[in-house]
Amino acid sequence: MRPGVVALASASLVLLGAAPPGPAPLPARMADTGGGTQLITAVAARTGATEGTVIWWDLRDGHWVRTGTAPARFGANGLVEGAAREQGTSTTPTGLYDLPYAFGIKAAPRGTAYKYRPVRRDSWWCQDNDSRFYNRWTEPRAADCRAAESERLISYTAQYAHALVIGFNYAEPVRGRGAGIFLHVNGSGATAGCVSVPAAGMRRILRWADPARKPHIAIGTTDGPTAVTRY
């Protein structure tokens, strides 16, 4: 067979063969996913961004599979390493966090498996650094938790229609680092430090999330010191 014919035949075999494998799914490239079989990733292009993408994943037969996606919003001043965050900076903390429970002004979407706490008129999230209830739900508002330093949850009718608590600075709160970081429904623009998604996306996440599968949320950037793959 002439050399040209051999080359043509070889090229044809390559074209007919399997396509080269693409990059591994994002969770497979992360340092840690929390040890469960569900994961939410919230990723921005850079630390100064206020928008990005939320994807929720399932671990099936040892492989991470993308189950859903929604556009995301972050803090008005972008993202910052969680361990270095300061309260009141309107930045979203990067890192890997658990999701302790859900809450909302509206009833839980049908199929929600998470513990879901209804928001009432006297439901507050304490952000007062001098309070023993710092970074905790208090109902009614605790005497040592100043209203000016807290959120009355029912006041945020759009954002807190449905939400998941993000376990940032939650298990052992550090004063001054920040309180009340949630995954919630979009408001009118960037957040004060939370991650937000459209209402339909938030409902889908609540119907999907299964506390028995230990879901976590990883927040970060596509690359650099706060790359989501570091967490």
Side-chain angles (χ1 to χ4, degrees):
M1 186 179 290
R2 298 191 305 276
V5 175
V6 172
L8 181 60
S10 299
S12 299
L13 289 172
V14 171
L15 289 173
L16 292 171
L26 179 56
R29 292 180 276 125
M30 292 174 56
D32 188 6
T33 57
T37 58
Q38 287 188 328
L39 179 71
I40 300 171
T41 55
V43 183
R46 60 189 185 283
T47 54
T50 59
E51 297 181 350
T53 304
V54 159
I55 301 174
W56 46 106
W57 308 79
D58 285 296
L59 185 62
R60 301 175 186 167
D61 298 324
H63 301 282
W64 286 101
V65 178
R66 185 168 72 174
T67 304
T69 184
R73 294 177 181 172
F74 299 101
N77 290 319
L79 298 85
V80 68
E81 179 69 48
R85 186 180 186 272
E86 295 181 4
Q87 186 163 325
T89 55
S90 293
T91 52
T92 297
T94 62
L96 178 69
Y97 307 105
D98 65 351
L99 298 160
Y101 62 92
F103 68 91
I105 296 171
K106 294 184 177 181
R110 182 174 296 180
T112 298
Y114 248 84
K115 175 184 176 182
Y116 192 89
R117 190 165 186 177
V119 173
R120 309 182 195 280
R121 296 193 65 81
D122 58 352
S123 303
W124 293 74
W125 196 275
C126 184
Q127 299 180 353
D128 189 337
N129 281 284
D130 296 326
S131 173
R132 59 197 171 119
F133 293 97
Y134 178 67
N135 203 19
R136 287 293 184 273
W137 183 301
T138 173
E139 188 178 308
R141 180 171 54 84
D144 70 342
C145 186
R146 293 169 289 174
E149 298 294 326
S150 303
E151 282 190 349
R152 189 181 185 196
L153 299 177
I154 204 166
S155 299
Y156 298 87
T157 55
Q159 295 93 324
Y160 298 157
H162 302 295
L164 272 165
V165 176
I166 294 176
F168 166 74
N169 201 31
Y170 187 78
E172 298 180 2
V174 175
R175 311 284 168 158
R177 184 162 291 171
I181 300 298
F182 311 127
L183 174 61
H184 63 66
V185 176
N186 284 342
S188 59
T191 73
C194 296
V195 180
S196 74
V197 294
M202 193 68 228
R203 290 192 297 269
R204 289 173 62 201
I205 289 170
L206 285 174
R207 287 192 291 263
W208 159 85
D210 181 356
R213 297 178 64 187
K214 300 180 181 179
H216 284 64
I217 184 168
I219 306 169
T221 52
T222 53
D223 52 28
T226 54
V228 72
T229 50
R230 290 184 54 242
Y231 303 114

